[in-house]
Amino acid sequence: MQSLKILLLSAAIGSATALPAAASSSAWYNSEGGKVRLVTSGKADDAGRIQGVLDIALKPGWKTYWRDPGDAGVPPQLDISASTNIADAALSFPAPQRHDDGYGKWAGYNYPVSLPVTFTLATPNQPAVIDADIFLGICETICIPVQTRLTVDPASDPDNAEDAALVKASFTALPAPARSDFGINVLPGDHETLIVEASFPGDSEAADFFVAGERDYMFGTPARSEKDGKLIFTVPILDRPSTTPTDGGLHYTLTSSAGAVEGVLPFP
């Protein structure tokens, strides 16, 4: 998406509609291309974690971004600093699709999507209220930044079966952990190129590789090739930090006709 096509005026961001919150979920927030809310399972587990989803109901023809939006998109962001007894909120992402809007290629979703969120209590077994500042981009021929605060009291209806079912289904739909027969092997590259060899079940034409630019990395669209019967993805490194990080790694997702897996690869 061209950055010039993103509407930056807050008046165009969308207007909240006073729809009542249902169970352990927030009210819907309406924008031009769809609506968004937070839903939780209500109850924290023994480790003080609450599962939830950022529920994005896109209108037909609209799209939103994966964790890496390309060079001009808006990734979903969630800030819980205004919350009560919430120490952390970690977003997870279903397998994306590759999109080409004529201006660039990027990864995201062209259908309603629920992004799983794991909320961690600061003090387990104590009441909590989620006040989450949400920022994401949704796009048709233009991209509109959606920005709002969504509030949830997870204890308001902790046994709501509909909410629990939505949360469970969203976590179940996440890519599985990568394994030896469905995953990637990093090959020698250079300062400007990430090269991986992919192993997967199913049709090679349906396979795709997505790597998230994090920690000041930026990647281009992977190029496909075959070597000794193996599918190779060569990814241009468009930008990188001045010093290669030594902790953590980069999130990736590998998709095929048989499903999707995800993992973390070393910083190139």
Side-chain angles (χ1 to χ4, degrees), residues 70-132:
D71 61 356
V74 181
Q77 300 170 48
L78 191 151
D79 179 356
I80 45 83
S81 59
S83 300
T84 300
N85 196 31
I86 300 291
D88 185 55
L91 273 171
S92 300
F93 292 83
Q97 302 167 325
R98 186 83 56 192
H99 295 276
D100 186 345
D101 61 7
Y103 301 96
K105 294 181 179 180
W106 51 277
Y109 314 94
N110 62 357
Y111 50 84
V113 63
S114 296
L115 305 181
V117 189
T118 301
F119 298 97
T120 301
L121 300 186
T123 305
N125 303 316
Q126 293 298 315
V129 175
I130 300 167
D131 280 308

Side-chain angles (χ1 to χ4, degrees), residues 30-41:
N30 284 339
S31 72
E32 182 179 348
K35 56 186 180 179
V36 60
R37 63 173 178 162
L38 275 176
V39 179
T40 75
S41 59

Side-chain angles (χ1 to χ4, degrees), residues 17-22 25-29 36-38 149-152:
T17 299
L19 300 177
S25 62
S26 74
W28 284 103
Y29 179 84
V36 60
R37 63 173 178 162
L38 275 176
R149 176 172 290 185
L150 301 176
T151 299
V152 181

